[in-house]
Amino acid sequence: MNRTPTLTGHGPWNARWGTVGMQRLSAHLVRAYWLVTAALFVAVILMLVLYTPVDRGMGPVQKIFYLHLPVAISGFLAAFVVFIASVGYLWSRSMWWDDLAAAAGKVAVLYCAVILLTGMFWGRSAWGVWWTWSPRLTFSLVLFLLYAVYVLIRPTIDSAERRAVICAVYGIIAFLDVPLVYLSVRLIPDIHPSSISLEPAMRLSLLAWFPPVVMLMAGMIGTRYALNRRLRSAEAGRFSEAPSAGAAIRVSAAGGHP
Amino acid sequence: MTGQAYLLLAYIIGLSLLWGYAAALLLSLRAARQRPPGAVDGESRRQSARAPSITQERTAP
């Protein structure tokens, strides 16, 4: 029987892509990666409570900054992954680039949401308002909306090739907002601080928050990407085993990815 | 509300969102790995049952 390759370790997949031993090793490495990420989060939270000094001007609410900034940078990185994957798809027309872009797009939305939410708590305490239409806040909201639309339009396009092309072009254009978010505070007068001077202990705390937040972002993109690949492979396998379904349905099935 | 309460809320909401999504992804991947090959998951079934493709529209009588 000519079985279609899957990612489950059965059938010809092993011969084509690896061995069961390699799969087990990779599963162990993935587990270790998530355990290290979780442990780092516990460590930096303890550091925040026990070590990080309280800001004399703003008080304890200034500590939101240690989550807010790394999440913002990670969100930009996720948007950059969408950009690179979109360019990669248009260049090579390989579907795995599209799966990567789809995975990073969802993570970018999530991180943008967390940027906005943590920023709102900061703003309420520092400026007395939950939201103000300052350039950086506005461009950040636009960034969130751009990637939310990116995630929402993907399932509405049936043809896999059309969806990949449209989303790749959109992913490249959407990324143009990232430099605007970064530069707006330097080019336009803004209530949002462009830089904050930190004591050495505060700087160390800020640096300590970057690895776990970036690792979490990378882990999410990797996991979502693995799910996307699995879904695409399962769809392709199902329809190649049912030739009577016809080419028309095959096109539709290939389009059925988040 | 005090600054301490804002700080607590910001971290609880932020970290819950991040780790909640991460946990959901890991559980989905685990479920997908345990599913026998060829089995149809809910998402694939929904996606396949969607509107006909362009090719279908062209070939339909």
Side-chain angles (χ1 to χ4, degrees):
Chain A
M1 189 173 73
N2 182 25
R3 289 185 63 183
T4 307
T6 65
L7 300 175
T8 53
H10 299 274
W13 186 87
N14 291 334
R16 285 183 63 176
W17 303 104
T19 62
V20 174
M22 282 299 287
Q23 283 183 338
R24 281 186 187 151
L25 177 66
S26 105
H28 284 305
L29 286 174
V30 168
R31 188 174 296 170
Y33 179 89
W34 282 104
L35 283 174
V36 168
T37 307
L40 283 174
F41 260 97
V42 172
V44 289
I45 289 169
L46 286 175
M47 187 180 187
L48 190 81
V49 175
L50 303 173
Y51 171 76
T52 310
V54 176
D55 185 72
R56 279 184 291 275
M58 282 191 69
V61 82
Q62 184 269 346
K63 289 186 177 182
I64 290 175
F65 180 68
Y66 304 111
L67 177 64
H68 182 73
L69 184 65
V71 165
I73 301 297
S74 304
F76 296 162
L77 284 174
F80 185 62
V81 173
V82 177
F83 174 78
I84 292 292
S86 301
V87 172
Y89 176 76
L90 291 178
W91 184 268
S92 69
R93 302 283 166 160
S94 295
M95 278 302 175
W96 72 267
W97 282 115
D98 184 53
D99 288 334
L100 180 62
K106 286 182 177 174
V107 175
V109 173
L110 180 71
Y111 270 69
C112 287
V114 176
I115 297 168
L116 292 173
L117 285 168
T118 52
M120 283 167 80
F121 283 105
W122 170 288
R124 180 71 183 89
S125 184
W127 311 323
V129 287
W130 290 102
W131 180 262
T132 179
W133 294 100
S134 87
R136 176 165 274 188
L137 269 65
T138 307
F139 283 126
S140 300
L141 179 64
V142 169
L143 190 70
F144 167 73
L145 293 174
L146 280 169
Y147 285 95
V149 169
Y150 178 86
V151 169
L152 287 172
I153 61 167
R154 288 192 68 87
T156 65
I157 307 166
D158 279 328
S159 161
E161 287 75 21
R162 269 186 70 198
R163 182 181 56 240
V165 170
I166 290 170
C167 289
V169 173
Y170 185 96
I172 291 168
I173 295 169
F175 183 72
L176 295 176
D177 191 49
V178 171
L180 288 177
V181 175
Y182 180 75
L183 293 172
S184 61
V185 80
R186 286 163 176 77
L187 300 176
I188 311 169
D190 199 330
I191 192 171
H192 192 286
S194 59
S195 63
I196 293 177
S197 57
L198 295 171
E199 294 173 21
M202 290 176 166
R203 201 175 303 130
L204 184 66
S205 300
L206 177 63
L207 288 175
W209 270 89
F210 274 96
V213 173
V214 173
M215 281 177 76
L216 185 61
M217 180 269 295
M220 280 185 202
I221 293 177
T223 310
R224 185 66 251 182
Y225 170 74
L227 275 166
N228 288 351
R229 294 304 296 165
R230 189 172 286 270
L231 191 60
R232 196 181 288 278
S233 145
E235 291 280 352
R238 185 142 32 86
F239 285 97
S240 69
E241 282 175 5
S244 58
I249 299 174
R250 203 172 295 131
V251 172
S252 175
H257 291 276
Chain B
M1 277 209 288
T2 63
Q4 201 109 35
Y6 286 130
L7 174 69
L8 206 60
L9 272 174
Y11 272 88
I12 288 171
I13 293 172
L15 293 179
S16 301
L17 279 172
L18 294 176
W19 276 101
Y21 185 63
L25 282 177
L26 287 170
L27 288 173
S28 301
L29 189 62
R30 192 178 169 190
R33 280 189 179 141
Q34 285 172 349
R35 203 174 296 127
V40 184
D41 63 302
E43 191 169 10
S44 306
R45 197 184 296 120
R46 275 198 307 279
Q47 301 279 0
S48 302
R50 278 210 321 263
S53 69
I54 298 165
T55 320
Q56 273 181 305
E57 283 162 14
R58 281 190 195 138
T59 54

